[in-house]
């Protein structure tokens, strides 16, 4: 570790040895925290589990570290902490060199990560985003010593939350135990101690509904397919992608038991699901007098009752509490224990039928009673997303719901806190504990009638360089130190993971930060850690990225609608010109772009920064190739940055094609269309250079869970459909959710996005040549048919990368972007 890195590190470390910061919200949940502390796995189990993580991460250095579990009193306050010390026997040959102590196995591993980051200059990321950079760690016997007296780092608040209800489908759908073990290792190293644990719940639901005389065949149409379970669980759809084969129920329950066992061994607090009111259609026939409402259409084309319009049991019906209790009891019976926190989002995209505060209060009380009747110590964890998007939730209605549960028994996730924090506009969620959350595509707040701040940041696992680093570095601290704060945690609730590693690295640290972070200084360290070395060129590049792609302050939702991955399904005459669409394209700007609202279906791609500045950053990245090309983390970042630059260039190129069409210039339409298609092919070649941008692993992981050929076909159809059409369609009417799950993956561009664009351009050229209007219905018929055929295809795609990222990025920069800089 060079002297400049060490100097900056010491400045950062001075922030951490601080007294524990408590909030009113933490006081509200103190009873549950005490219960969880008593029920935690024995210290020997936690140390063994932590050592397992160390061995998988760094087997060559397993003997260099000793781990210990300590009481909170050793932390100098009420909160959890980790302590890093030089080992008392480090002077002996072969003895451990570093002693790391923590209140749980999670704190121990967070301490290990802290030491590896700031004393050894290493970096830990998801494998798809470059993996771990560990070659900077010195050999055994020469690990850096910490300062005399050690380093004590406390959590300012108890919880670090992780996941979104839909991450289970957008990312985890096809995971086996090997991949889950890697993720739990990553969680622990990041200090995450409050993860969702939703896997395998369909098996529990079958056992619950059997007690109410609902057969397994009645449930075939209730559960969604493997890639759509998140939305059938929430009551948005039913049957789509199903039915689930018997092997799925058995395999997923076994997997869930392994997940929970490991989480408990590490001292985590896994959050289990609770009953939200979603019932199968057969329930209405079985209980005709029950208060059951058929919900409206949720994005089905017709609406088609085969998939839409699910049934919701009113929370005030006596059956609600009975089912809620049975579900909790069945989980306790199957898993053997619980951590007493349950997630339920009855009103997520399901608005109550009336807005009377008294009625809403009765709903909330009944929902909680269903949990509490099965677990006396139950706490309700609720996403605060509904308060962001649904105008139904005005202050009286919001207060009625939040105050319907005893204080300290409800925690709210401020799901989009990095962009639209609700804790500010709702006076600390009207006194309820909350968690500050980043949704990765946005920051996320976790609220608890006690609250929890969260980062959302990502929608549907779309691939887009995006973030608000300044908000992440300051938002949780502002919420924590605000007057009468009820904040009890921070968190990340992205819809999909394995993208934008810098955002998650910083957000994970905020679980241990007591003061706002100097982002510029932090990035200086991040660069050296991520690549194992730094240079003036790469530092200049990251400085640009910090002020552009990672400085989105326009408060817009970053749902990726780039033309390549979300091709416009609209008459070209209704699309604005490039100047109207992007008045600041390629130009530095310090203001939010003013984009004209349109009455057509064209969703304008989000652009919040100067593209010419980002192209300059790409130039610097490419110039750094000679020094950094051996780094897998650099390779990922280079491919991602080149992809980002070319994607925005493609958006502009498409609008130039539309302009040529409006001027009836058939030669220009033809030449520019071919340039666009060539660009898609070239981007596919670029993305093939790194394992993090491949279609093959997604499809192969789906097939590997199948037990026979029929299941293989079903699972692959699920996997293909989620990333293309998503939901149902007719011959001339595409899914309303088409391209919501789009991905920049090699194989997908060449095999699907490119051919789809070619159909549009073919019809566009024909309309100019024949002097007729664009044949919109013909376009729709052809691309929908193409999509449906692709969904059912069995074509194989590579699962390993190929190609030289530096040379291909340089070539594409010269071919498309040099003149744009």
């Amino acid at each position: 570790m060079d002297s400049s890195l060490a100097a900056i590190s010491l400045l950062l470390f001075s922030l951490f040895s601080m007294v524990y910061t408590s909030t009113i919200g933490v006081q509200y949940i103190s009873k549950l925290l005490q219960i969880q502390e008593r029920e935690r796995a024995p210290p020997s189990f936690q140390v063994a589990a932590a050592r397992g993580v160390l061995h998988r991460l760094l087997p060559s250095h397993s003997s260099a570290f000793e781990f210990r579990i300590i009481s909170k009193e050793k932390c100098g306050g009420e909160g959890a902490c980790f302590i890093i010390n030089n080992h008392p026997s480090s002077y002996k040959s072969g003895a451990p060199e570093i002693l790391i102590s923590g209140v749980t196995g999670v704190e121990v591993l967070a301490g290990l990560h802290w030491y590896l980051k700031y004393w050894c200059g290493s970096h830990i990321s998801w494998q798809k985003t470059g993996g771990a950079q560990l070659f900077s760690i010195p050999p055994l016997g020469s690990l850096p010593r910490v300062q005399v007296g050690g380093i004590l780092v406390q959590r300012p608040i108890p919880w670090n939350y992780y996941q979104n209800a839909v991450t289970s489908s957008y990312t985890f759908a096809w995971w086996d135990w090997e991949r889950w073990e890697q993720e739990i290792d990553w969680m622990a190293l990041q200090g995450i101690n409050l993860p969702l644990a939703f896997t395998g719940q369909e098996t529990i639901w079958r056992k619950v509904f059997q007690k109410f005389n609902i057969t397994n065949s009645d449930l075939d149409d209730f559960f969604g397919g493997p890639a759509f379970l998140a939305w059938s669980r929430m009551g948005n759809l039913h049957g789509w992608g199903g039915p689930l084969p018997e092997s799925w129920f058995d395999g997923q329950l076994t997997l869930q038991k392994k997940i929970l066992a490991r989480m408990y061994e590490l001292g985590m607090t896994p959050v289990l699901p609770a009953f939200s009111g979603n019932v199968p259609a057969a329930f209405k026939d079985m209980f005709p007098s029950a208060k059951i409402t058929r919900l409206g259409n949720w994005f089905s084309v017709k609406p088609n009752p085969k998939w839409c319009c699910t049934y919701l049991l009113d929370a005030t019906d006596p059956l609600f509490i009975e089912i809620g209790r049975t579900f909790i009891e069945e989980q306790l019976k199957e898993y053997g224990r619980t951590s007493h926190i349950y997630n339920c989002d009855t009103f997520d995209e399901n608005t109550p039928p009336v807005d009377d505060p008294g009625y809403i209060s009765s709903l909330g009380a009944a929902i909680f009673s269903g949990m509490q009747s099965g677990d006396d110590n139950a706490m309700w964890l609720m996403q605060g997303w509904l308060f962001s998007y649904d105008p139904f939730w005005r202050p009286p209605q919001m207060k009625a719901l939040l105050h319907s549960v005893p204080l300290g028994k409800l925690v709210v996730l401020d799901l989009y806190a990095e962009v639209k924090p609700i804790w500010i506009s709702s006076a600390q969620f009207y006194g309820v504990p909350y968690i500050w959350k980043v949704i990765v595509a946005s920051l996320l707040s976790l609220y608890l009638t006690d609250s929890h701040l969260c980062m959302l940041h990502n929608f549907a696992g779309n691939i887009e360089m995006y973030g608000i680093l300044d908000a992440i570095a300051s938002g949780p601290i502002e919420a924590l130190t605000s007057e009468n704060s009820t904040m009890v945690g921070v968190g990340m609730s992205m819809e999909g993971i394995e993208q934008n590693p810098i955002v998650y690295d910083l957000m994970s640290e905020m679980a241990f930060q007591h003061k706002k972070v100097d982002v510029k200084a932090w990035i200086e360290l991040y660069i050296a850690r991520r690549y194992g070395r730094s240079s003036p060129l790469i530092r200049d590049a990251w400085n640009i990225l910090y002020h552009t792609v990672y400085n989105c302050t326009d408060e817009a939702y970053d749902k990726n609608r780039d033309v390549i991955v979300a091709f416009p399904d609209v008459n070209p005459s209704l699309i604005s010109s490039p100047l109207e669409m992007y008045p600041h394209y390629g130009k530095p700007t310090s203001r939010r772009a003013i984009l004209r609202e349109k009455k057509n279906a064209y969703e304008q791609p989000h652009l919040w920064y100067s593209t010419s500045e980002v192209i300059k950053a790409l130039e610097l990245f490419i110039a750094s190739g000679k020094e950094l090309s051996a780094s897998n983390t650099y390779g990922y970042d280079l491919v991602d940055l080149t992809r980002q630059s070319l994607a925005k260039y493609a958006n502009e190129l498409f609008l130039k094609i539309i302009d040529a069409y409006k001027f009836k210039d058939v030669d220009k339409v033809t030449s520019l269309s071919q340039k666009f298609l060539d660009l898609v092919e070239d981007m596919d070649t670029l993305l093939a250079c790194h394992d993090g941008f491949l279609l093959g692993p997604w499809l192969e992981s789906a097939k590997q869970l199948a037990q026979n050929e029929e299941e293989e076909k079903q699972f692959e159809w699920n996997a293909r459909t989620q990333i293309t059409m998503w939901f149902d369609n007719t011959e001339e009417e595409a899914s309303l959710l088409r391209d919501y799950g789009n991905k920049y993956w090699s194989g997908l561009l060449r095999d699907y996005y490119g051919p789809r664009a070619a159909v549009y351009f073919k019809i566009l050229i024909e309309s100019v040549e024949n002097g007729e209007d664009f044949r919109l219905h013909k376009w729709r018929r052809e691309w929908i048919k193409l999509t449906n055929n692709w969904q059912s295809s069995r074509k194989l795609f590579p699962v390993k990368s190929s190609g030289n990222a530096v040379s291909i990025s340089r070539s594409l920069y010269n071919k498309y972007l040099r003149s744009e800089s």
Side-chain angles (χ1 to χ4, degrees):
M1 186 173 184
D2 63 40
S3 58
S4 61
L5 192 60
I8 298 174
S9 297
L10 287 173
L11 286 175
L12 285 175
F13 295 144
S14 67
L15 300 179
F16 296 108
S17 296
M18 302 183 67
V19 295
Y20 177 71
T21 304
S22 184
T23 66
I24 297 173
V26 174
Q27 296 171 28
Y28 294 157
I29 64 169
S30 60
K31 181 180 178 181
L32 178 60
L33 293 175
Q34 291 168 6
I35 293 170
Q36 292 173 336
E37 187 175 349
R38 289 197 302 269
E39 295 179 350
R40 240 177 237 135
S44 60
F45 282 47
Q46 296 186 58
V47 168
R51 291 207 64 83
V53 176
L54 170 62
H55 182 74
R56 288 185 290 275
L57 174 71
L58 198 60
S60 61
H61 286 62
S62 286
S63 62
F65 297 91
E66 181 181 335
F67 295 157
R68 292 180 187 172
I69 301 298
I70 58 174
S71 67
K72 287 192 298 186
E73 287 68 32
K74 295 287 182 68
C75 298
E78 298 177 6
C81 74
F82 59 78
I83 303 173
I84 308 171
N85 280 296
N86 301 314
H87 198 281
S89 303
S90 58
Y91 62 91
K92 296 179 182 178
S93 176
E97 300 172 60
I98 299 296
L99 171 63
I100 301 177
S101 306
V103 171
T104 71
V106 172
E107 274 79 37
V108 166
L109 290 168
L112 172 67
H113 189 195
W114 203 271
Y115 176 79
L116 295 177
K117 285 170 74 170
Y118 290 118
W119 272 266
C120 301
S122 67
H123 172 77
I124 297 170
S125 178
W126 290 296
Q127 195 60 40
K128 280 193 174 183
T129 58
Q133 184 286 107
L134 302 174
F135 62 81
S136 63
I137 300 174
L140 280 175
S142 55
L143 290 181
R145 296 175 65 81
V146 300
Q147 64 199 49
V148 176
I151 300 294
L152 185 151
V153 178
Q154 286 186 307
R155 290 186 186 271
I157 39 181
W159 287 331
N160 187 2
Y161 171 89
Y162 184 59
Q163 292 180 40
N164 185 299
V166 301
T167 319
S168 57
S169 290
Y170 282 130
T171 297
F172 307 154
W174 314 114
W175 282 8
D176 56 13
W177 169 242
E178 181 182 4
R179 181 61 187 87
W180 261 111
E181 184 174 57
Q182 294 171 9
E183 189 69 11
I184 296 171
D185 288 356
W186 180 89
M187 287 186 222
L189 290 160
Q190 306 297 330
I192 291 164
N193 60 6
L194 190 67
L196 292 183
F198 279 11
T199 302
Q201 63 179 278
E202 282 66 34
T203 309
I204 307 295
W205 278 120
R206 287 214 301 188
K207 294 181 179 184
V208 169
F209 284 124
Q210 283 170 4
K211 294 180 183 296
F212 293 87
N213 298 317
I214 303 297
T215 66
N216 287 348
S217 60
D218 290 331
L219 297 173
D220 284 347
D221 187 51
F222 180 59
F223 302 128
F228 302 97
L229 284 174
W231 299 277
S232 65
R233 290 167 181 170
M234 293 188 289
N236 302 136
L237 54 79
H238 66 96
W240 181 249
L244 293 173
E246 195 63 34
S247 64
W248 181 268
F249 293 97
D250 298 336
Q252 291 295 294
L253 182 61
T254 299
L255 180 59
Q256 169 76 337
K257 290 180 179 179
K258 289 182 178 181
I259 292 167
L260 288 173
R262 182 60 54 80
M263 288 178 173
Y264 286 131
E265 286 169 5
L266 287 166
M268 291 182 181
T269 301
V271 178
L272 295 175
F275 179 52
S276 64
N278 186 26
V279 293
F283 207 85
K284 188 170 181 63
D285 297 327
M286 187 64 64
F287 299 94
S289 61
K291 298 177 185 177
I292 297 175
T293 302
R294 188 157 201 188
L295 299 177
N297 183 32
W298 186 85
F299 294 113
S300 178
V301 165
K302 282 301 184 186
N304 189 338
K306 188 176 182 181
W307 319 118
C308 85
C309 312
T310 57
Y311 291 91
L312 186 71
L313 177 65
D314 194 295
T316 61
D317 189 290
L319 277 170
F320 192 101
I321 294 176
E322 191 176 344
I323 296 172
R325 179 181 64 252
T326 305
F327 184 50
I328 298 295
E329 290 173 344
E330 280 295 324
Q331 291 185 91
L332 286 169
K333 178 180 175 182
E334 198 68 49
Y335 305 143
R337 63 170 296 182
T338 176
S339 57
H340 309 295
I341 302 181
Y342 303 94
N343 172 249
C344 177
D345 295 301
T346 298
F347 309 113
D348 187 16
E349 304 193 31
N350 290 321
T351 303
V354 295
D355 65 357
D356 174 54
Y359 173 72
I360 292 171
S361 181
S362 67
L363 290 179
I367 291 168
F368 178 67
S369 293
M371 302 176 204
Q372 194 175 41
S373 63
D375 179 356
D376 289 340
N377 298 310
M379 177 179 284
W380 177 6
L381 179 68
M382 179 180 71
Q383 291 188 113
W385 182 242
L386 67 167
F387 303 132
S388 296
Y389 78 88
D390 191 342
F392 172 90
W393 296 100
R394 301 179 302 280
Q397 289 72 31
M398 188 174 173
K399 284 181 185 178
L401 179 59
L402 295 178
H403 291 170
S404 65
V405 177
L407 191 60
K409 290 292 188 176
L410 172 66
V411 177
V412 184
L413 298 172
D414 195 355
L415 210 57
Y416 204 20
E418 81 272 39
V419 175
K420 295 178 68 176
I422 304 299
W423 70 267
I424 296 175
S425 59
S426 65
Q428 305 281 349
F429 285 90
Y430 303 112
V432 170
Y434 71 94
I435 294 173
W436 197 99
K437 278 179 93 188
V438 177
I439 302 186
V440 184
S442 64
L443 289 180
L444 188 69
S445 289
L446 198 44
Y447 298 102
L448 247 144
T449 294
D450 291 318
S451 36
H452 200 128
L453 273 173
C454 293
M455 176 182 77
L456 205 172
H457 184 259
N458 178 273
F459 293 96
N462 297 159
I463 298 173
E464 170 95 291
M465 292 183 75
Y466 163 87
I468 319 170
L469 296 183
D470 285 339
I472 296 172
S474 61
I477 306 303
E478 290 171 355
L480 176 66
T481 58
S482 61
E483 186 177 2
N484 297 322
S485 176
T486 58
M487 181 175 166
V488 297
V490 295
M492 300 179 285
S493 61
M494 58 286 126
E495 291 190 352
I497 64 169
E498 298 174 327
Q499 34 75 30
N500 289 290
I502 189 172
V503 173
Y504 296 91
D505 197 316
L506 178 58
M507 187 62 210
S508 295
E509 272 197 23
M510 298 311 296
F512 297 96
Q513 292 281 6
H514 296 251
K515 293 183 179 179
K516 295 179 181 180
V517 171
D518 180 338
V519 179
K520 189 174 186 302
W522 187 89
I523 290 176
E524 291 273 328
L525 287 172
Y526 176 83
I527 295 166
R529 291 190 294 104
R530 182 153 172 82
Y531 308 133
R533 61 190 302 182
S534 187
S535 72
L537 290 177
I538 206 71
R539 285 196 296 270
D540 288 346
W542 269 104
N543 187 53
I544 293 172
L545 296 179
Y546 166 39
H547 290 97
T548 52
V549 294
Y550 292 115
N551 185 38
C552 182
T553 57
D554 64 6
E555 298 185 1
Y557 292 102
D558 190 59
K559 182 74 194 70
N560 194 323
R561 305 309 294 176
D562 287 339
V563 172
I564 290 176
V565 296
F567 206 86
D569 178 30
V570 63
N571 190 311
S573 64
L574 300 177
I575 298 176
S576 303
S577 70
L579 184 60
E580 293 173 309
M581 287 289 296
Y582 297 121
H584 67 309
Y585 187 89
K587 302 175 184 178
T589 180
S590 59
R591 62 179 178 84
R592 179 179 178 182
I594 306 300
L595 303 180
R596 257 187 357 186
E597 291 292 331
K598 287 292 173 183
K599 295 181 180 179
N600 57 71
Y602 181 52
E603 294 184 62
Q604 302 165 353
H606 186 202
L607 185 62
W608 64 95
Y609 59 85
S610 162
T611 55
S612 62
E613 287 297 308
V614 172
I615 293 172
K616 287 178 184 176
L618 176 59
E619 292 172 358
L620 294 168
F621 251 85
I622 293 171
S624 303
K626 183 176 286 188
E627 290 182 274
L628 302 176
S629 60
S631 165
N632 193 33
T633 46
Y634 166 79
Y636 174 88
D637 291 346
L638 175 63
V639 171
D640 201 22
L641 180 55
T642 309
R643 176 211 56 75
Q644 181 82 9
S645 301
L646 291 171
K648 302 311 173 189
Y649 172 78
N651 293 341
E652 185 199 22
L653 180 59
F654 173 76
L655 293 176
K656 289 179 179 178
I657 295 169
I658 299 303
D659 262 7
Y661 164 80
K662 291 178 179 178
F663 282 108
K664 310 300 181 186
D665 189 337
V666 67
D667 291 337
K668 196 168 185 179
V669 171
T670 302
S671 63
L672 290 178
S673 296
Q674 188 58 53
K675 187 175 183 179
F676 186 99
L677 297 176
D678 290 344
L679 173 59
V680 174
E681 291 270 332
D682 287 340
M683 287 182 69
D684 194 274
T685 301
L686 166 75
L687 296 169
C689 293
H690 197 279
D691 289 347
F693 300 97
L694 302 180
L695 169 64
W698 172 252
L699 300 182
E700 291 306 310
S701 62
K703 291 188 287 184
Q704 285 171 11
L705 289 185
Q707 301 296 308
N708 54 53
E709 187 175 353
E710 281 306 305
E711 288 182 14
E712 257 195 34
K713 290 179 181 178
Q714 179 190 7
F715 291 3
E716 184 172 2
W717 183 91
N718 269 254
R720 286 171 174 263
T721 298
Q722 190 202 92
I723 59 177
T724 53
M725 192 64 80
W726 208 107
F727 208 9
D728 64 329
N729 62 266
T730 66
E731 288 185 359
E732 289 193 11
E733 200 170 354
S735 164
L736 300 173
L737 292 172
R738 63 187 179 275
D739 294 322
Y740 186 87
N742 67 69
K743 303 289 188 294
Y744 277 105
W745 282 345
S746 177
L748 191 56
L749 273 73
R750 190 184 304 272
D751 204 56
Y752 175 66
Y753 292 142
R756 178 175 65 175
V759 171
Y760 189 89
F761 294 143
K762 180 194 71 173
I763 298 172
L764 196 69
I765 292 168
E766 288 175 354
S767 70
V768 177
E769 288 177 334
N770 299 330
E772 60 187 18
D773 291 338
F774 181 80
R775 299 173 68 184
L776 187 62
H777 291 291
K778 180 182 180 182
W779 143 250
R780 286 177 174 164
R781 283 194 302 273
E782 290 195 21
W783 85 261
I784 290 172
K785 182 179 179 181
L786 179 150
T787 303
N788 293 159
N789 288 339
W790 193 89
Q791 290 168 263
S792 300
S793 173
R794 304 299 308 281
K795 181 177 178 179
L796 299 175
F797 295 90
V799 295
K800 293 293 182 182
S801 58
S802 62
N804 185 293
V806 176
S807 62
I808 292 175
S809 291
R810 181 182 294 111
S811 173
L812 298 186
Y813 163 79
N814 288 330
K815 183 175 181 180
Y816 296 107
L817 301 172
R818 180 183 289 276
S819 62
E820 303 292 322
S821 176

